[in-house]
Amino acid sequence: MDNYDFKKIEENWQLIWENNKLASCDVTQSENNFYNLCMYPYPSGDLHMGHIRNYTIGDVITRYKKKLGFNVLSPMGWDSFGLPAENAAIKTGIHPKKFTEDRISNMRDQIKRLGSLYDWDKEVAAHDKNYYKWTQYLFIKLFENKLAYKEDAPVNWCTSCKTVLANEQVIEGNCERCDSEVTKKNLNQWFFKISSYSEELLQGLHDIGDWPENVKSMQENWIGKSSGVQFNLKINGSELDFDVFTTRPDTLFGMTFAVMSPEHKLMNKILSLSPNSKEIQSYIDVAKSKSEFERMSITKEKTGVDTGLKVTNPINNKSVPLWIADYVLINYGTGAIMAVPGHDERDYEFAKKYNIEIIQVIIDKDQKIDISSKPFIEKGVLINSGDYDGLNSHDEASNSILNYLSKKDLGERKVTYRLRDWLISRQRYWGCPIPLINCTKCGLVPESLDNLPVLLPEIDDYKNSEDSPLAKSEDFLNTKCPDCGSDGIRETDTMDTFVDSSWYFLRYLDSQNQNFPFDKNIINSWLPIDQYIGGVEHAILHLLYSRFFVKALRDINLLDVDEPFHNLFSQGMINFGGTKMSKSKGNVVDPESYFATHGADALRLYILFMAPPSDGVEWNDGGIEGTKRFLNKFWDNMARVSDLQIQKTIGEDDLVRSMNQTIFSVTRHLEKFEFNTGVSDLMKANNEISKYLNENSTVSEETKDFVFNTMCNLLYPFSPHISSEIYNLFSKKDISALKWPEFDESNLSNPSYELVIQLNGKKKFTKVVNTGTSQQEAEEACEVTFNIKASDYKKVIFVKDKIINFIG
RNA sequence: GCCCGGGUGGCGGAAUUGGUAGACGCGACGGACUUAAAAUCCGUUAUUCGAAAGGAUGUGGGGGUUCGAGUCCCCCCCCGGGCACCA
């Protein structure tokens, strides 16, 4: 047949679904709810292939679950605060609000053209004052519960964006957004206390629902739990002491020096005490001037300076020198270490360079290893360790030495995490203002809840120098203290946009609520989200922050759930020309053009069919013709099925069985998110129908209906417009009301199969036999047809309905 | 370096519990229809030897377990992703 008029059909059905409120969900219902969520997009203005993939997968689930009888909630919204709108404003003068809202309306149209069902009544946008009012409300609640705090800290500063960044947003020393250099700066900044949840965030990963292994492992790595011992070192001839953390207390006898990070809080005292204070001061100055990346680079040669001071090893009272070196990081552990060059690569490199003594305290079982050319970090037995000689390294010796230290009150077991508190201040305009006021009398106080939202002020110039753009508005800046009425000055930073996205899925459930961010009861009945679907690029940032947010809100009694997302599905990225599609690389493939040339249904089907959805793929539109061809053939076949004369026909039993097998298989694939094979099942079934139609012109009424209903129904989640159209055309009914088809379990297997006949494990012949054939019958058949006598062989292995193997 | 994935035809990719490797689609080739082309339909398409019948090889490489391995075990190579001076 000719190409069907997909443009007309798709527009028509989208209108019908909208008018019938097909996507509308009553959230007050308490039974059979299914919260199906796709990550809300940043409104860049244009839908890209990643969105198409995400929202197609989401829609397959929505429509499938609806057909199973679930009350499905599938909302959509906008992650609409963020830098691009502000940069565009600087460049073009268009106000970020207008810029953003124009783009939202364009993107909303594109999403609708894809045909995915969203309950638009629940739409939220992060930049909307009815939304960010509640972001501010939640911020204040966190502040009141000491989960948000302001502190001086060395922070990541992007020299180009002129804003601070969270650790999670620094990639190899560069800004995640603009790739510019990130430096360290000491600033008074806002943090969320995510680190108090380290252990729970880690443990939660074990009993969460179905999450991809790689995402769990990325979060695990990021949290970075490590167990060891923390103990105290005293600086000889002074009152000074400091803690060090180690995972290898078993190597304590091998400590030949100690190292402090240049940023260590004791540094001023060290300077006054040390005979080498000049050298130390200049070393600190140099370290400060280096970029974060230079400092962290593993390839860099280690540097340091001897303080001339000594510390005492608590296990043997030996004095060892104290050094300052920037290979010890202030942010991890205690910012100081015991250095055991014999058994640690970094300490070894340092000791070699500065000619510091290296002692071997662990030897392998064969007593062969020596450490003259490299440190020994594997398991072995202790030597040169006094009473501990002969103990096994790592666990056994560590426990003994820990016991000694804790008995003497010198040290204790300690768990450290790599995860640090979440820095959320941003020196930018287009974000949610931090609703705190610096009162001249009371200090830092939250804006009164009645005065929320703290609105973003109008300003003329969005460029930020060293200060936040909001500081340019006097009207915004100067205010009165909500507690005492004295003069106050507002905070001028805005929040990281990941704060907005840490709770949007809660607001969807109650987006019109004027009194609270959401109704606790509704949240409790809908969370955790049954299925969350989004890109793997959010594995750490958004997914970890949201998990923290929900736990924090639980602890301040705003909701009663532990985890936001029960099942998570991460779709792979779509690349083009070997790399990620991006405007700056000019390799963006625009989905719009395919709406026009092939239609949304063909594009959806192709994007599902091209690869397993969790895999990354290289975009290649060669195959979209194939899915288009399939849809044409499908329509043609359904029309021909409808035209068949009514009369029971011999071949139709096979067709009925094939339909049963297809229902079984498509259902199984949908449940496992294997959409590519689900589509191929439909193609196979379509081919079966073609075959039947070429050989027959009649069918029983029952089979005709079964084939027609089943095929349209199975295609519906994948390509909903065309299946709705065909079903309506030939049956005058609405397919969305049709329940997901059931299969007849007794009619799944074929009456006969090809028995594989092997001799000594090698396939030699095949023979068609009845399903259920016994070993004896199979042996007889082999003898009759191929003259293979079971008695000539030592052993016969028979697997029912599969193979027979003669051995010997 | 560490932690996750993964490696199957010309290409994208299929293969319940170990049981006919290559489903489905793309591309290619041959044929039908057509004045012609497109579209459509039918057929062929892992490699290799062979005219054919038929044989041999084959899931990154090497070893192993098994009647039988893409699938399980050990070692190695390569690719993608994440983390990375984390003590």
Side-chain angles (χ1 to χ4, degrees):
Chain A
M1 73 172 278
D2 292 339
N3 277 346
Y4 68 99
D5 188 351
F6 49 82
K7 191 168 184 291
K8 194 175 138 201
I9 288 167
E10 289 173 2
E11 277 173 10
N12 181 39
W13 282 99
Q14 285 161 19
L15 200 68
I16 292 173
W17 296 331
E18 200 168 326
N19 291 340
N20 293 353
K21 297 226 157 251
L22 187 57
S24 152
C25 173
D26 174 10
V27 293
T28 61
Q29 196 174 312
S30 58
E31 301 259 303
N32 248 344
N33 290 336
F34 191 94
Y35 194 167
N36 182 38
L37 182 68
C38 291
M39 289 181 182
Y40 74 166
Y42 174 77
S44 60
D46 295 297
L47 219 52
H48 57 69
M49 283 300 170
H51 294 125
I52 298 279
R53 198 179 203 192
N54 194 165
Y55 303 149
T56 299
I57 293 169
D59 196 47
V60 171
I61 300 303
T62 297
R63 293 182 190 262
Y64 171 62
K65 293 289 178 184
K66 279 175 95 72
K67 281 191 168 289
L68 291 178
F70 287 99
N71 179 38
V72 180
L73 172 65
S74 169
M76 185 46 71
W78 311 99
D79 187 12
S80 46
F81 269 137
L83 276 180
E86 192 173 338
N87 290 338
I90 294 167
K91 228 180 183 174
T92 65
I94 303 170
H95 193 282
K97 184 163 189 283
K98 175 165 173 33
F99 178 86
T100 301
E101 289 178 357
D102 286 352
R103 293 188 151 202
I104 286 177
S105 93
N106 186 43
M107 247 171 119
R108 194 191 291 114
D109 287 349
Q110 288 182 323
I111 289 179
K112 286 183 177 175
R113 241 168 291 162
L114 181 63
S116 296
L117 293 179
Y118 296 109
D119 186 347
W120 290 103
D121 293 344
K122 303 188 169 54
E123 180 177 2
V124 302
H127 79 286
D128 181 349
K129 62 180 191 296
N130 292 319
Y131 184 85
Y132 76 70
K133 170 180 180 174
W134 300 111
T135 308
Q136 292 173 338
Y137 175 98
L138 294 174
F139 185 98
I140 290 171
K141 291 289 164 194
L142 292 176
F143 175 77
E144 289 168 349
N145 286 276
K146 311 230 176 321
L147 289 165
Y149 65 93
K150 202 178 185 192
E151 193 177 79
D152 277 321
V155 295
N156 307 301
W157 176 263
C158 173
T159 47
S160 163
C161 299
K162 296 219 165 58
T163 183
V164 299
L165 299 172
N167 293 317
E168 289 80 359
Q169 291 163 327
V170 181
I171 313 292
E172 292 191 350
N174 293 327
C175 172
E176 172 205 42
R177 282 213 88 84
C178 69
D179 220 30
S180 309
E181 189 186 64
V182 172
T183 58
K184 281 282 172 189
K185 219 175 165 177
N186 258 308
L187 285 172
N188 194 239
Q189 297 287 295
W190 282 97
F191 292 86
F192 283 161
K193 236 173 167 352
I194 190 171
S195 68
S196 351
Y197 289 85
S198 300
E199 188 61 31
E200 200 195 335
L201 287 167
L202 183 67
Q203 289 313 317
L205 292 171
H206 297 138
D207 33 49
I208 210 160
D210 192 11
W211 276 43
E213 276 310 314
N214 62 334
V215 173
K216 286 200 268 188
S217 119
M218 280 187 211
Q219 292 210 352
E220 227 172 286
N221 283 340
W222 190 260
I223 294 166
K225 180 178 183 173
S226 92
S227 311
V229 171
Q230 185 169 311
F231 63 91
N232 193 264
L233 289 175
K234 294 194 167 34
I235 298 179
N236 296 354
S238 82
E239 295 297 300
L240 292 182
D241 64 87
F242 59 93
D243 285 333
V244 293
F245 172 76
T246 180
T247 54
R248 293 293 307 278
D250 54 325
T251 61
L252 185 50
F253 282 88
M255 168 166 98
T256 55
F257 59 109
V259 189
M260 246 184 205
S261 158
E263 293 93 346
H264 199 278
K265 60 180 187 295
L266 244 46
M267 204 47 62
N268 283 336
K269 287 174 179 159
I270 301 277
L271 279 169
S272 62
L273 216 60
S274 166
N276 301 337
S277 58
K278 254 194 197 150
E279 287 93 326
I280 297 173
Q281 187 59 57
S282 68
Y283 182 77
I284 293 172
D285 291 344
V286 172
K288 264 191 194 154
S289 72
K290 288 185 197 165
S291 78
E292 173 85 338
F293 190 54
E294 280 176 291
R295 282 280 301 272
M296 300 281 275
S297 171
I298 191 168
T299 50
K300 183 200 73 151
E301 194 178 314
K302 294 182 179 25
T303 58
V305 52
D306 191 353
T307 61
L309 305 172
K310 307 275 187 228
V311 299
T312 304
N313 185 338
I315 198 114
N316 57 9
N317 291 322
K318 209 173 133 180
S319 285
V320 297
L322 173 65
W323 285 69
I324 311 288
D326 68 2
Y327 82 89
V328 172
L329 307 173
I330 187 63
N331 289 323
Y332 185 77
T334 61
I337 60 160
M338 69 168 197
V340 183
H343 305 283
D344 180 279
E345 282 175 2
R346 296 148 302 181
D347 298 343
Y348 190 87
E349 187 193 328
F350 193 81
K352 278 280 176 192
K353 179 170 172 184
Y354 291 104
N355 281 318
I356 306 172
E357 185 187 14
I358 300 173
I359 304 174
Q360 181 166 8
V361 291
I362 294 172
I363 197 155
D364 61 310
K365 293 251 155 59
D366 301 335
Q367 310 235 327
K368 276 192 188 131
I369 289 282
D370 84 90
I371 55 170
S372 55
S373 61
K374 61 171 196 222
F376 179 60
I377 51 181
E378 272 139 67
K379 292 199 170 175
V381 180
L382 268 64
I383 54 169
N384 298 326
S385 299
D387 297 344
Y388 301 90
D389 280 359
L391 291 182
N392 290 319
S393 75
H394 294 72
D395 296 349
E396 191 185 11
S398 289
N399 286 332
S400 301
I401 290 177
L402 168 66
N403 280 343
Y404 172 83
L405 290 173
S406 55
K407 227 177 258 167
K408 297 246 163 183
D409 215 19
L410 294 166
E412 59 183 356
R413 197 178 286 282
K414 177 91 181 175
V415 173
T416 344
Y417 301 89
R418 212 183 70 102
L419 181 66
R420 269 116 58 187
D421 279 342
W422 173 16
L423 168 57
I424 60 108
S425 317
R426 294 293 179 275
Q427 290 71 43
R428 301 296 311 207
Y429 175 75
W430 194 234
C432 176
I434 290 174
L436 269 283
I437 293 163
N438 297 281
C439 168
T440 44
K441 283 197 181 134
C442 317
L444 204 51
V445 288
E447 178 60 278
S448 111
L449 296 178
D450 297 337
N451 289 341
L452 297 182
V454 175
L455 289 171
L456 266 175
E458 294 300 325
I459 58 171
D460 301 327
D461 177 13
Y462 301 102
K463 267 189 202 126
N464 53 347
S465 37
E466 295 303 292
D467 246 346
S468 298
L470 298 195
K472 292 172 188 168
S473 167
E474 293 288 323
D475 287 350
F476 175 82
L477 207 55
N478 298 312
T479 185
K480 298 289 175 198
C481 172
D483 288 356
C484 73
S486 311
D487 286 345
I489 293 187
R490 288 193 190 279
E491 285 289 298
T492 54
D493 286 351
T494 51
M495 295 181 213
D496 182 1
T497 57
F498 280 106
V499 180
D500 309 324
S501 57
S502 290
W503 75 282
Y504 77 105
F505 45 89
L506 303 174
R507 184 67 183 172
Y508 276 145
L509 287 159
D510 202 6
S511 62
Q512 303 308 313
N513 195 328
Q514 297 300 306
N515 305 315
F516 291 101
F518 43 76
D519 178 334
K520 183 173 176 176
N521 292 322
I522 299 178
I523 302 299
N524 290 345
S525 77
W526 280 86
L527 274 246
I529 287 162
D530 298 277
Q531 184 65 59
Y532 197 26
I533 305 164
V536 71
E537 63 273 20
H538 295 108
I540 299 175
L541 296 151
H542 164 59
L543 290 170
L544 191 66
Y545 293 150
S546 299
R547 292 183 62 218
F548 154 70
F549 224 76
V550 162
K551 289 173 194 302
L553 298 186
R554 173 202 62 195
D555 290 346
I556 58 187
N557 212 17
L558 289 170
L559 45 77
D560 296 316
V561 286
D562 296 322
E563 291 281 348
F565 316 119
H566 183 66
N567 287 343
L568 170 72
F569 185 83
S570 292
Q571 94 251 7
M573 294 214 283
I574 299 182
N575 295 327
F576 191 60
T579 47
K580 194 172 158 174
M581 288 187 199
S582 78
K583 278 191 183 153
S584 57
K585 287 179 194 138
N587 64 345
V588 177
V589 179
D590 177 19
E592 281 261 65
S593 58
Y594 295 102
F595 286 154
T597 54
H598 294 78
D601 278 338
L603 178 59
R604 289 168 59 119
L605 205 58
Y606 178 57
I607 216 155
L608 292 169
F609 181 62
M610 69 191 302
S614 55
D615 287 6
V617 274
E618 177 71 15
W619 177 256
N620 171 353
D621 66 5
I624 195 169
E625 280 299 327
T627 54
K628 182 73 184 306
R629 231 173 265 165
F630 162 75
L631 291 177
N632 278 323
K633 243 187 281 185
F634 186 95
W635 187 320
D636 195 28
N637 279 349
M638 290 304 111
R640 289 170 69 193
V641 166
S642 292
D643 281 348
L644 288 172
Q645 299 294 311
I646 301 300
Q647 191 188 337
K648 175 92 177 149
T649 305
I650 294 173
E652 71 178 67
D653 291 349
D654 290 340
L655 190 59
V656 168
R657 190 180 324 105
S658 158
M659 286 299 111
N660 271 297
Q661 291 167 342
T662 305
I663 299 168
F664 172 78
S665 188
V666 170
T667 306
R668 208 183 75 210
H669 287 310
L670 280 180
E671 289 290 339
K672 294 160 84 177
F673 277 67
E674 294 165 345
F675 307 117
N676 54 330
T677 43
V679 174
S680 95
D681 286 334
L682 290 171
M683 289 173 165
K684 254 187 269 190
N686 200 40
N687 293 342
E688 288 295 318
I689 294 169
S690 301
K691 211 175 101 192
Y692 182 86
L693 289 167
N694 290 343
E695 292 164 0
N696 302 278
S697 55
T698 56
V699 75
S700 71
E701 185 147 25
E702 194 192 356
T703 300
K704 182 184 194 168
D705 288 349
F706 182 55
V707 170
F708 178 76
N709 292 348
T710 300
M711 288 304 283
C712 291
N713 212 3
L714 292 179
L715 180 65
Y716 174 80
F718 301 90
S719 292
H721 311 89
I722 188 173
S723 56
S724 297
E725 178 71 16
I726 296 171
Y727 191 72
N728 182 259
L729 193 63
F730 297 108
S731 77
K732 307 290 171 222
K733 283 182 287 184
D734 175 14
I735 197 166
S736 66
L738 203 61
K739 289 268 167 243
W740 190 250
E742 288 175 9
F743 55 86
D744 175 2
E745 214 161 329
S746 66
N747 194 15
L748 284 177
S749 55
N750 296 329
S752 61
Y753 72 100
E754 266 195 331
L755 175 70
V756 174
I757 296 150
Q758 297 183 332
L759 298 180
N760 291 313
K762 283 206 153 196
K763 177 185 148 195
K764 285 290 171 191
F765 313 100
T766 61
K767 182 177 166 57
V768 176
V769 299
N770 291 335
T771 300
T773 292
S774 68
Q775 174 163 358
Q776 197 188 342
E777 289 164 337
E779 284 178 13
E780 279 163 14
C782 288
E783 186 164 351
V784 171
T785 316
F786 305 105
N787 199 27
I788 299 167
K789 293 194 184 74
S791 55
D792 293 346
Y793 294 87
K794 283 187 194 140
K795 196 173 163 190
V796 179
I797 287 173
F798 176 73
V799 181
K800 200 175 172 193
D801 297 343
K802 293 232 162 77
I803 58 132
I804 186 161
N805 188 4
F806 297 89
I807 298 134

